[in-house]
Amino acid sequence: MLPTEAPQPDLTTLAQPATLSGNVESSSIAPSFLKNFLNDNPYFQAGFGLMTLGVGLTVMRKSLVVGTAALRRRMLVTLEINNKDRAYEWFLAWMSSQHAIQAQKRLAPWTRSHQLSVETTVEQRKNGSSSAMFKLVAGPGTHYFQYKGAWMQVKRERETKSMHLMSGTPWETVTLTTLSRDRGLFPQLLSEARDLAMKGHEGKLVIHTAWGIEWRPFGQPRLKRPLKSVVLAPGVAENIESDIKAFLDRRQWYADRGIPYRRGYLLHGPPGSGKTSFIQALAGSLSYDICVLNLSERGLADDKLFHLLSNAPERSFVLIEDIDAAFNKRVQTSEDGYQSSVTFSGFLNALDGVASGEERIIFMTTNHVEKLDPALIRPGRVDLMQLIDDATPEQACILFERFYGGRDIQQEISEEEVKALSTTLRTLIQQEMENERTVSMAALQGFFIRNDARGAVAKCRDLFTQRR
């Protein structure tokens, strides 16, 4: 019997446990190495911690910024006013007036503005004298004030790199910030600022002059002159006043017929007859302002002239004085021979051309109507031409009685004597007029101011000059 062979072991089966053991060992080595690297490497631990801290701080900062912005939008409200808006100057003037009110409160030292700007207003008078007034307003920076129990922040900013091309003034803004619940105070504040500005002009006449392509107030508002204080020949003042009132009452009539709503007046006559004085008094009686336009101003060109005439302030007369001296043979020259950029054709087009504005009243004055080009004084450009001449006997008597009626400023005089002297003055002026000698109303007025009633009648013959 042959011995039985022992079964041979399966090499695959024998090798398999060894393979599995190797895999287990290799797989357990890797995690332990990584774990040891992470636990034992201080550089990695420090970097990972800093990265985590940085990410956390970034998230917190972003959250804080977003939260603050959302909170501001929710709880705060801002109002921006730029210096192109009329409310800009009103608000600065109003805030300047609040300093006296805030000074009476306990927190005044903490809220008082430390950034100030000065606004200087210079008034040049006809006699050569001038006066200057200074007003301190809030300057560029941050300011605080309390209005009707609500705290407000005012930030005035100036953009020096952005200038107005014509006037050269920098772009400025004022931003008001307060709680959202107090947004209703903004209209009240602006209305109060407007009323304060208008109060300074109440009962006064505002004169505007051209500054680049803008109209700006010139000097301080002037007291309105009563219309009756300018003594003209009988019927002259009434004729002009009735014509302009009829024009102002027929706005819709012009619109219904497609007629441009504008009116032009030419007052002509010798110097000192009261042309400009009457225009000022008429503007005051109608609560209008006056915009003085100088055609000989350096830098004034046709395009600027179009813009100024088309953008005159509401309820204002545009006054062009001595229009005969503006153009010489249809070429504009000034007294020093400087030739302006305003052309005669450009001026005519600005009056009634395609580019001319609507809702406009223009007054022109001249001492020599015969020198004016017929194209300038035709209907449509000059709708009413009125002569305002030297003193007539009736004008002189009215002016005399207004000066010396009642009680003379220098001596006692009865009403009967004033009437008698007035009759003597009437006869005297009538005789001089027959001899072609005249006297201006301005000369009579100045003479009456310097003399008493008897002396004025006795010496007034020296004022008369030969009619030219």
Side-chain angles (χ1 to χ4, degrees):
M1 184 174 182
L2 293 176
T4 305
E5 294 181 0
Q8 299 295 325
D10 189 351
L11 296 177
T12 306
T13 304
L14 294 174
Q16 187 172 359
T19 304
L20 292 174
S21 177
N23 290 339
V24 173
E25 292 176 359
S26 61
S27 62
S28 61
I29 290 173
S32 62
F33 173 77
L34 181 61
K35 182 177 181 181
N36 293 335
F37 177 79
L38 295 178
N39 293 335
D40 300 335
N41 193 330
Y43 299 103
F44 180 82
Q45 291 179 356
F48 184 77
L50 290 175
M51 181 183 68
T52 305
L53 180 62
V55 171
L57 291 176
T58 302
V59 172
M60 290 179 61
R61 186 176 64 84
K62 290 288 186 182
S63 302
L64 184 62
V65 171
V66 174
T68 303
L71 191 63
R72 285 179 61 88
R73 287 195 301 267
R74 182 74 176 175
M75 298 187 62
L76 300 179
V77 60
T78 61
L79 173 68
E80 183 183 85
I81 311 173
N82 62 64
N83 60 344
K84 299 294 292 181
D85 193 279
R86 296 188 65 182
Y88 182 83
E89 295 182 359
W90 296 349
F91 172 76
L92 290 181
W94 176 87
M95 189 173 177
S96 177
S97 68
Q98 294 298 302
H99 289 167
I101 300 176
Q102 298 291 331
Q104 302 174 1
K105 299 183 179 180
R106 256 188 339 188
L107 296 177
W110 300 96
T111 60
R112 184 167 46 194
S113 297
H114 294 275
Q115 296 93 8
L116 301 175
S117 294
V118 62
E119 291 184 356
T120 306
T121 303
V122 179
E123 182 179 4
Q124 188 73 33
R125 302 183 181 89
K126 291 184 178 181
N127 60 3
S129 63
S130 62
S131 61
M133 297 185 64
F134 304 98
K135 181 172 61 177
L136 296 180
V137 298
T142 304
H143 314 268
Y144 296 91
F145 69 92
Q146 192 177 26
Y147 177 70
K148 293 187 177 180
W151 283 99
M152 294 188 181
Q153 180 195 69
V154 179
K155 184 178 292 186
R156 183 179 178 185
E157 298 175 317
R158 178 177 297 164
E159 181 57 55
T160 57
K161 295 182 180 179
S162 178
M163 298 285 187
H164 196 281
L165 295 179
M166 298 299 179
S167 62
T169 56
W171 180 265
E172 294 186 4
T173 58
V174 167
T175 305
L176 283 73
T177 304
T178 188
L179 293 176
S180 182
R181 67 179 185 182
D182 298 323
R183 67 166 59 234
L185 294 178
F186 285 153
Q188 300 178 32
L189 188 152
L190 294 176
S191 298
E192 191 173 318
R194 177 203 60 200
D195 295 341
L196 180 64
M198 295 297 102
K199 185 178 180 180
H201 297 168
E202 185 177 355
K204 296 182 180 180
L205 176 68
V206 180
I207 306 296
H208 300 265
T209 57
W211 185 272
I213 59 173
E214 298 178 349
W215 293 102
R216 292 189 180 181
F218 177 75
Q220 296 298 316
R222 307 177 183 182
L223 291 175
K224 293 181 180 179
R225 183 173 181 175
L227 189 59
K228 292 184 178 180
S229 66
V230 182
V231 181
L232 301 182
V236 173
E238 294 77 8
N239 181 34
I240 301 174
E241 185 181 8
S242 62
D243 183 272
I244 196 169
K245 286 184 176 180
F247 168 75
L248 296 176
D249 293 337
R250 301 177 73 186
R251 180 191 299 268
Q252 190 60 42
W253 186 90
Y254 277 78
D256 294 340
R257 289 157 179 79
I259 302 174
Y261 188 63
R262 49 179 176 257
R263 195 79 171 163
Y265 297 87
L266 175 65
L267 306 185
H268 62 97
S273 56
K275 299 182 292 295
T276 303
S277 299
F278 174 74
I279 295 172
Q280 292 182 3
L282 181 61
S285 67
L286 298 175
S287 296
Y288 267 58
D289 294 340
I290 293 180
C291 298
V292 180
L293 181 60
N294 181 13
L295 296 179
S296 301
E297 181 182 351
R298 296 180 186 271
L300 184 64
D302 289 347
D303 54 346
K304 293 182 181 179
L305 180 63
F306 291 153
H307 186 85
L308 288 171
L309 291 182
S310 300
N311 294 275
E314 295 182 359
R315 299 186 64 83
S316 63
F317 296 160
V318 178
L319 174 59
I320 307 175
E321 295 188 276
D322 298 323
I323 190 66
D324 58 288
F327 295 95
N328 181 17
K329 296 181 179 180
R330 297 199 172 195
V331 176
Q332 187 186 18
T333 56
S334 62
E335 294 180 357
D336 58 359
Y338 167 76
Q339 183 171 328
S340 174
S341 299
V342 176
T343 63
F344 185 75
S345 61
F347 177 63
L348 296 182
N349 289 330
L351 291 179
D352 69 340
V354 175
S356 59
E358 296 266 342
E359 301 185 13
R360 188 189 62 209
I361 300 175
I362 292 183
F363 276 89
M364 294 181 285
T365 65
T366 180
N367 298 329
H368 305 281
V369 67
E370 68 279 359
K371 294 182 179 181
L372 298 181
D373 194 294
L376 176 61
I377 58 177
R378 71 160 177 80
R381 292 170 181 156
V382 173
D383 301 291
L384 177 63
M385 187 163 56
Q386 179 66 57
L387 170 64
I388 299 182
D389 210 343
D390 284 326
T392 64
E394 293 80 7
Q395 286 179 268
C397 289
I398 294 174
L399 186 66
F400 183 86
E401 292 177 4
R402 287 184 181 177
F403 263 80
Y404 303 109
R407 173 173 293 188
D408 184 62
I409 60 175
Q410 298 183 22
Q411 62 180 359
E412 294 289 340
I413 187 171
S414 64
E415 289 290 336
E416 292 75 12
E417 187 174 359
V418 170
K419 290 289 185 182
L421 291 173
S422 175
T423 303
T424 303
L425 180 65
R426 176 192 296 269
T427 303
L428 187 151
I429 293 180
Q430 186 65 44
Q431 293 174 352
E432 294 291 336
M433 291 181 63
E434 293 175 356
N435 295 327
E436 299 294 326
R437 286 165 55 84
T438 60
V439 63
S440 67
M441 289 296 292
L444 280 179
Q445 178 175 287
F447 190 71
F448 292 164
I449 292 175
R450 300 189 302 270
N451 296 273
D452 57 34
R454 300 185 184 95
V457 174
K459 304 174 186 177
C460 71
R461 286 186 182 273
D462 298 335
L463 300 176
F464 288 82
T465 59
Q466 196 70 31
R467 180 184 291 274
R468 296 179 181 178

